[in-house]
Structure formats: C-alpha cells, structure tokens
Amino acid sequence: MSILSIAYDSRTTIFSPEGRLYQVEYAMEAIGNAGTAIGILSKEGVVLVGEKKVTSKLLQTSTSTEKMYKIDDHVACAVAGIMSDANILINMARVQAQRYTYAYQEPMPVEQLVQSLCDTKQGYTQFGGLRPFGVSFLFAGWDKNFGFQLFMSDPSGNYGGWKAAAIGANNQAAQSMLKQDYKDDITREEAVQLALKVLSKTMDSTSLTSDKLELAEVFVLPSGEVKYQVRSPDSLSKLLVKFGVTQAPAEAS
Amino acid sequence: MSIFEYNGSALIAMVGKNCFAIASDRRLGVQLQTIATDFQRIYKFHDRLFMGLSGLATDAQTLYQRLVFRHKLYQLREERDMKPETFASLVSALLYEKRFGPYFCQPVIAGLSDENKPFICTMDSIGAKELAKDFVVAGTASESLYGACEAVFKPDMEPEELFETVSQALLSSVDRDCLSGWGGHIYVVTPTEIKERILKGRMD
C-alpha cells in the first residue's frame, strides 16, 4: 500500500482513489489469522469443519463450541475472525430467524437469512462511522425451496452460494484443494472425509487430534426433520483414524 | 357475553407421582356455533414442558407464537431447555406487558422440573401466577372442573390412574358446559415418555 493510502484508511465511509475500502480489507486481514473453517455441500447434507485455535490445557471444557453455532433448527454457521464480533452477528441472525418464523409461521429460507445478515454488515461499511465486523461466515442450511445450501459471507457484506468453501487462515490453499477434489455427486460421508483431509493439509500443526477440531453436519432425518449435529470428540477421533488423517494410538482403540 | 366465553374451552393439569397430566377439550366455537371439533389447545415446548391456553382462540394462538419465539432464542443462547418455573415467569411477564390491553387468555402450564418433580401452575389474563400442588383448571367449564377435580383427586397417583382420573373429571365437567366438549385431548408425561390420547365423550 502506498503512503497515500494511509490518508484513506481511517474511515469506512470513504473510498480510496483506487476505489478500495481499506477498512473492509483490513477486516479481512484480521480473519486471515483466524482458525480455518471449511464447508462442503453434498446431496445428503452440508458438512462444516473448523480448526480450534484456543487449545490451552487451562481452558475450562464446556459443551459449547468455538467455531460452530446453531442459528435455527434448519441453519447453522461456522465462523472465522474476531469472536466477539461473531457473537453479535450470531445473535442478530438468531433473532432474525425467529422474527421471520413469528411473522410467516414457517422457517426462514437460508438465503434470506444470509442476505439479512449481510445487509447489516454492509451498513457498517457505508454509514455510522463504525468499523466493519471482523468475521467471515459459512452458513449451512436446508429449506423446502432449494434443499441443502452453503453460503459464504465476508466483512464487506458480500455473500455467495458455494459447493465448497473455506474461510480463515490458508483459505486460498484450502479452496484450491477443494476445487481439485470436489465432485458434484459427493455423498455426506465423502464430504466429511474430504473436509477432514483438506483441513489436515492446511493446518499448521503436525498431528490432528479431535480436540483441535470441530465437525458439524446439517442433514435430514428419515422423519423429514432437519438436524444440526456436532460430532462428539470420541466420534471425531474414530473418524480421524478411519480416514487415515491421524495415527491410531499404540494400544488398540 | 364475556370475551373469554367467545370460543369456549376447558383445561386441566394435574400432578401425579413423578408425572403430570394435562388435558383439554376439542371444541372451537363462535358463540353458539361449533366451528371445529379437533382444535388444539395444548402445546409442547419441549419434552418436559407443556402449556394449554384457554380463552379467546386468536389471542391463544398469538401468545403461543410469541412464546415459541422467546423459547427458541432461550434454547439457542443457553444451550438447554427452559425449566417450567422459568417459563411460567416468562409467560407472566409477557401477559403483564399488556396490562391495559390484555390477551384474553388463561394459560395452564405443566412440566417436569429438577429431579423430575412435576410442576403445574395457572395464571389470570394479566399474569397473576397461581402455583398449586394438586391441580389447576381453566376455561368456560372451570367451575365444574374445580368441583370434579376436588372430588376425585388423590396425591401420588401413578400415570395410568392419573389418566383415568383426569379423563373422568374433564368429560363430566364439559358435559355440563355447552361451550366446551366434543371429546378430550390428554397428555400424560413421565420422565421417560409422553402418552398422548384422544377421548371420545358426548359429541355435543
């Protein structure tokens, strides 16, 4: 960036001479340091995988997740970026989904939910003099109009529908790996395998264990009900061994 | 005619031994005309929390939808189900918000609290909570319901006996009320299962 850019980057509400919004770009920089999250769309469901960055032994273990959040019964999201910003947006998304259900007595379509959240994010790039949210999201959901969907959104308020996407650290490497290995008729099981494989290749650490990851899936039960399920650490460990992503422990597992 | 008697309703909730029963009639009327005979008055918020709403049907439906809104957000944020006592406080607060333009409903709340202890309560249309250890009633047939329940209630009834007791109390009371009836809908809830049954009574 040139010296001139310094004059244009302290306010979100002005363009630079090159037509860039520096604050928005700086927000995306912040996300580039966060734990990777990958989403893959299959015909039987959507898979979300996230790398946990906070893994101190001192951390009080709780059942709540670091990367994955449920928005409504039929929509969940993975986050990358500043967690405190993410909490605000997740709460907004949850309230929006309930407002829609209250008004129309049916679940909010996934794209509409993403769009409403992105409209909020866009507001912080155009007025108010407030900084943008330093979060990118991967939304996974199901609705009766378009079935399973995966959306990615960033601090500018842009969003897109994807078959496979990655956000956070090394997302470009992850994205190109996904491009190579993704096929249109991928099954949910294969999607889980692909997601774990790609994540293990892009993560900095040498060995993958279930306490460094989170895995969640959005799928439809035989009863027709949409389910969001986070894999337990034990189930995740077994999967990592099964897909050859991690070494099995010395004694029989 | 009072606005509370426009649609007609009858509700009971009764405590048993580590279980509860919540029952309602099935009639939906517009004053003297019967419109539906399968109207649902009792709603499940989660496996251990039920609420029945008597009174004006449109207010009952709207109140239920508002409570679903609040309860879903609670579940997402706290990552757990709402306890019945907490839920009752929420309902009471929502009703009092409309103190000078109230919902014309009387709720009956029944659930399993900590250690599977059954919890029941009712409140008036502006949120005055009434906790009871034995049974609570609401609706156009409430006077008959009070008498019938008082007569047949015994503490610590097992689920099957509780079902029989509540059914008898409900059916005999709605038979004396022209605005409620057309069968009964009763849930008997224990820590392990929810038994839902439809009763056939005098279909008038």
Side-chain angles (χ1 to χ4, degrees):
Chain A
M1 270 173 270
S2 69
I3 301 173
L4 268 178
S5 71
I6 295 166
Y8 295 99
D9 60 15
S10 56
R11 286 171 50 187
T12 49
T13 48
I14 48 175
F15 280 109
S16 77
E18 304 98 54
R20 293 156 71 171
L21 290 170
Y22 280 116
Q23 281 300 309
V24 175
E25 291 184 20
Y26 296 159
M28 301 204 211
E29 270 295 307
I31 296 162
N33 298 323
T36 318
I38 293 174
I40 301 183
L41 181 68
S42 81
K43 51 186 169 60
E44 299 151 349
V46 193
V47 175
L48 291 171
V49 159
E51 172 198 354
K52 289 213 275 211
K53 274 278 175 157
V54 200
T55 50
S56 162
K57 257 195 296 193
L58 287 174
L59 204 62
Q60 175 83 300
T61 48
S62 68
T63 48
S64 54
T65 50
E66 182 189 309
K67 302 284 287 180
M68 316 283 172
Y69 295 91
K70 189 177 175 189
I71 304 291
D72 196 357
D73 293 330
H74 64 296
V75 183
C77 68
V79 308
I82 303 174
M83 276 321 299
S84 47
D85 287 4
N87 283 333
I88 302 290
L89 287 169
I90 289 165
N91 192 51
M92 274 188 203
R94 285 172 172 169
V95 175
Q96 275 293 69
Q98 289 313 306
R99 275 209 198 109
Y100 185 99
T101 302
Y102 179 67
Y104 300 104
Q105 290 301 299
E106 55 175 51
M108 189 170 193
V110 187
E111 182 161 359
Q112 286 198 39
L113 178 64
V114 176
Q115 195 160 48
S116 90
L117 205 68
C118 287
D119 286 349
T120 306
K121 289 207 245 186
Q122 186 276 344
Y124 285 75
T125 69
Q126 196 173 25
F127 29 73
L130 303 167
R131 66 163 175 84
F133 289 96
V135 206
S136 279
F137 284 100
L138 285 172
F139 287 99
W142 183 93
D143 61 47
K144 66 179 192 314
N145 305 308
F146 295 106
F148 290 109
Q149 294 149 77
L150 174 69
F151 289 96
M152 176 166 78
S153 79
D154 64 27
S156 66
N158 264 333
Y159 74 91
W162 292 84
K163 294 177 187 174
I167 51 175
N170 299 323
N171 65 327
Q172 274 160 329
Q175 195 88 25
S176 51
M177 262 186 255
L178 287 169
K179 198 162 148 187
Q180 272 184 317
D181 294 330
Y182 180 85
K183 48 186 181 35
D184 277 335
D185 56 353
I186 197 170
T187 64
R188 183 152 65 96
E189 168 110 25
E190 287 167 347
V192 171
Q193 183 174 15
L194 178 59
L196 290 172
K197 203 179 73 169
V198 171
L199 192 68
S200 75
K201 293 221 177 103
T202 56
M203 268 169 77
D204 289 333
S205 51
T206 44
S207 70
L208 253 193
T209 47
S210 66
D211 62 329
K212 294 198 184 113
L213 289 185
E214 271 169 23
L215 171 69
E217 292 157 272
V218 178
F219 55 95
V220 176
L221 291 170
S223 63
E225 189 192 326
V226 186
K227 191 112 167 76
Y228 159 74
Q229 197 169 65
V230 183
R231 291 274 180 145
S232 68
D234 293 326
S235 163
L236 191 50
S237 300
K238 290 205 182 84
L239 273 180
L240 290 171
V241 171
K242 181 174 163 196
F243 294 138
V245 176
T246 194
Q247 301 301 102
E251 62 287 346
S253 57
Chain B
M1 188 195 251
S2 153
I3 189 70
F4 287 96
E5 290 161 17
Y6 188 74
N7 294 126
S9 51
L11 281 173
I12 308 181
M14 199 181 274
V15 165
K17 192 172 170 124
N18 292 331
C19 65
F20 67 85
I22 181 164
S24 75
D25 72 321
R26 307 191 80 204
R27 178 182 179 272
L28 176 73
V30 172
Q31 298 193 317
L32 54 93
Q33 187 179 27
T34 301
I35 302 290
T37 56
D38 59 356
F39 188 65
Q40 181 164 21
R41 270 197 184 89
I42 297 174
Y43 300 101
K44 181 175 99 159
F45 285 84
H46 61 74
D47 285 341
R48 296 157 64 97
L49 179 58
F50 286 72
M51 178 177 75
L53 282 162
S54 69
L56 195 63
T58 177
D59 283 357
Q61 284 177 340
T62 302
L63 189 60
Y64 163 67
Q65 287 164 11
R66 284 192 67 195
L67 283 160
V68 165
F69 183 104
R70 299 289 299 263
H71 182 252
K72 278 242 172 103
L73 283 172
Y74 184 98
Q75 273 180 326
L76 284 166
R77 288 170 181 152
E78 307 228 358
E79 294 180 5
R80 63 187 177 92
D81 290 332
M82 225 192 231
K83 279 197 272 211
E85 295 88 343
T86 316
F87 186 76
S89 297
L90 174 63
V91 179
S92 172
L94 274 182
L95 290 173
Y96 196 83
E97 260 172 37
K98 304 279 185 200
R99 170 66 177 80
F100 300 108
Y103 290 112
F104 296 115
C105 299
Q106 196 182 349
V108 161
I109 296 163
L112 287 173
S113 184
D114 292 333
E115 280 124 46
N116 296 326
K117 193 160 180 297
F119 169 88
I120 53 168
C121 88
T122 185
M123 53 193 86
D124 68 6
S125 58
I126 43 178
K129 257 191 286 187
E130 186 207 314
L131 306 168
K133 292 196 174 64
D134 42 15
F135 56 85
V136 290
V137 301
T140 48
S142 59
E143 281 152 350
S144 300
L145 283 165
Y146 273 122
C149 288
E150 197 69 61
V152 297
F153 178 77
K154 287 199 315 273
D156 290 327
M157 280 185 277
E158 294 293 333
E160 283 309 312
E161 196 191 350
L162 184 65
F163 165 69
E164 291 297 332
T165 308
V166 172
S167 308
Q168 291 304 320
L170 180 70
L171 289 177
S172 56
S173 304
V174 303
D175 284 350
R176 274 288 180 184
D177 175 25
C178 55
L179 296 172
S180 54
W182 281 94
H185 196 163
I186 165 163
Y187 293 87
V188 180
V189 181
T190 64
T192 46
E193 69 167 346
I194 299 167
K195 258 217 171 97
E196 181 185 347
R197 283 179 259 222
I198 307 282
L199 305 168
K200 189 160 191 243
R202 272 185 69 114
M203 302 311 226
D204 63 0

